[in-house]
Amino acid sequence: MLFETFSAGGCRSYLVGCERTRAAVLIDPELSLSDHYRGFLLQNGLSLRYIVDTHTHADHFSAGRSLSKAMGAPVVMHRLSPAPHAELRLDDGDMLVAGDLKLKALHTPGHTRDSMCLVLGDRAFTGDTLLIGGTGRTDLPTGDPHALFDSLFDKLLKLPGETLVYPAHDYKGRSHSTIADEIATNPRLQKTERAAFVAMMRDLDLAAPTHLTEALRTNMSGGKTVAQLLAEAAAVVPFMALAELDDRLGANSADLVVIDLREKEAFEAGHIRGALHLPRGQLELRVNTALPDPTARIVTCCEFGKISTLAAATLRELGYQRVTALDGGVAAWREAGLALDLPG
């Protein structure tokens, strides 16, 4: 068996491959590591058979949907997953077969309603159900400490003690543990009575994950992250350097239109000379009257260069093919010491 661990911060993902057939399974992929997975598959002559998310992640962005579209492998989740892009849904005890590899799904709710673990030979991929020296939290949407107690003590911890534990997270650089080690040393597993375990989980008082809302939104729906939207917009939009725009304004370029997308207060606090004020929220509604010439050369700007990138991509979709975005935005213009005009 080919086996590789990938890390992004505290997030862990795993790729297992059959040496005979070169079929591979990717477990809990993280969006920022997409190119790393592709590189490993290519370097080792592997064909991706399945992409598995062990649960609906609330603390990072799954690469499942984007990799599925790019590589043609189905996203696999438990049948209770809310994700519409999960093409293959597993029940407790179902098995994935990839060449000589057989991965058995164990439904282990508690961290989330759709949590599952995968058992492959001598190892278990435990998602966020069982961590090294800890367990998944139960205070996020669909979490349930009673269900986690059952999943741990009535199912996962009954695996052979020598079973290797590979969790979806570890923040201390540890690669794996064993079921026996976790039973003996994991502080949360010392609470073997249901009431004590549930009370402990409810009293943890943990901070919310950094990307909670965005991660849940994208992982549950298959939607896009803000970073993805910006990257896609940047891929279809050229940019203009601060010095280039300053030179063109100094030359009184007749065919250049600068659009300032900020709100009125920001615009009136200082704007690039000659800029047309067109707030981003009004762009589509006012574009035909504000920009009557679709052949004009347009430069969009905002405070930091992100909204202007999105707006430039929108204008290109609307047929304005000579649109560019100001690199760095008005903030960079200001920091460079370039002149800003005030109303009147």
Side-chain angles (χ1 to χ4, degrees):
M1 178 177 69
L2 295 170
F3 179 69
E4 186 72 11
T5 300
F6 300 83
S7 299
C11 297
R12 296 294 177 86
S13 48
Y14 306 94
L15 197 149
V16 294
C18 172
E19 291 192 79
R20 180 179 63 85
T21 66
R22 317 310 287 181
V25 180
L26 180 58
I27 302 168
D28 286 330
E30 209 275 347
L31 188 60
S32 67
L33 294 175
S34 296
D35 289 341
H36 295 267
Y37 305 133
R38 294 185 192 186
F40 185 85
L41 290 164
L42 183 63
Q43 290 170 10
N44 290 277
L46 295 170
S47 175
L48 191 58
R49 181 70 58 82
Y50 299 112
I51 303 166
V52 183
D53 269 320
T54 57
H55 62 288
T56 302
H57 301 282
D59 51 5
H60 72 269
F61 306 115
S62 170
R65 182 171 179 268
S66 60
L67 286 175
S68 178
K69 290 178 66 177
M71 308 192 74
V75 173
V76 182
M77 299 188 74
H78 186 264
R79 68 176 181 84
L80 295 178
S81 167
H85 55 278
E87 299 176 59
L88 181 56
R89 296 173 179 270
L90 303 182
D91 259 309
D92 184 58
D94 285 349
M95 189 166 62
L96 295 176
V97 177
D100 298 330
L101 306 180
K102 297 181 179 181
L103 297 90
K104 180 181 178 180
L106 301 180
H107 184 211
T108 53
H111 174 62
T112 62
R113 182 168 170 258
D114 63 341
S115 288
M116 66 178 181
C117 300
L118 296 174
V119 179
L120 170 62
D122 64 349
R123 64 199 63 198
F125 301 98
T126 57
D128 280 14
T129 300
L130 177 61
L131 308 177
I132 299 175
T135 66
R137 60 196 296 170
T138 58
D139 59 332
L140 299 179
T142 76
D144 182 344
H146 286 280
L148 183 61
F149 179 86
D150 292 334
S151 294
L152 289 168
F153 291 98
D154 293 342
K155 185 172 291 186
L156 194 54
L157 299 182
K158 291 187 175 180
L159 292 173
E162 64 272 17
T163 302
L164 302 173
V165 173
Y166 288 94
H169 295 281
D170 189 78
Y171 297 93
K172 297 182 178 180
R174 298 165 295 191
S175 62
H176 63 278
S177 179
T178 67
I179 292 293
D181 286 342
E182 293 308 307
I183 291 174
T185 64
N186 190 319
R188 295 189 189 176
L189 301 184
Q190 307 315 304
K191 305 288 187 181
T192 57
E193 297 295 328
R194 177 185 297 273
F197 180 86
V198 169
M200 171 190 64
M201 296 304 298
R202 287 179 172 167
D203 290 340
L204 289 177
D205 192 27
L206 301 172
T210 304
H211 303 290
L212 174 61
T213 300
E214 189 176 16
L216 285 176
R217 172 180 60 78
T218 57
N219 293 335
M220 290 176 69
S221 68
K224 296 178 180 179
T225 67
V226 173
Q228 283 177 299
L229 287 176
L230 285 168
E232 290 174 6
V236 297
V237 168
F239 294 85
M240 184 172 287
L242 301 174
E244 179 71 18
L245 178 57
D246 189 45
D247 287 344
R248 289 181 177 275
L249 291 175
N252 293 315
S253 180
D255 70 339
L256 185 66
V257 180
V258 179
I259 298 177
D260 193 317
L261 299 151
R262 298 174 299 162
E263 295 302 318
K264 181 179 179 180
E265 183 178 348
F267 179 79
E268 292 183 347
H271 55 268
I272 295 171
R273 176 163 56 88
L276 170 66
H277 184 219
L278 183 55
R280 177 63 186 91
Q282 301 176 24
L283 180 64
E284 289 85 353
L285 299 178
R286 291 177 51 191
V287 66
N288 293 325
T289 53
L291 299 170
D293 182 3
T295 68
R297 188 167 192 184
I298 300 168
V299 180
T300 59
C301 65
C302 63
E303 191 67 19
F304 299 108
K306 294 182 178 180
I307 292 173
S308 58
T309 301
L310 295 170
T314 297
L315 287 170
R316 284 187 165 249
E317 288 183 7
L318 292 173
Y320 295 86
Q321 293 303 308
R322 299 183 68 199
V323 181
T324 63
L326 181 63
D327 186 30
V330 177
W333 183 275
R334 187 184 300 112
E335 289 172 7
L338 299 172
L340 290 171
D341 282 358
L342 298 172

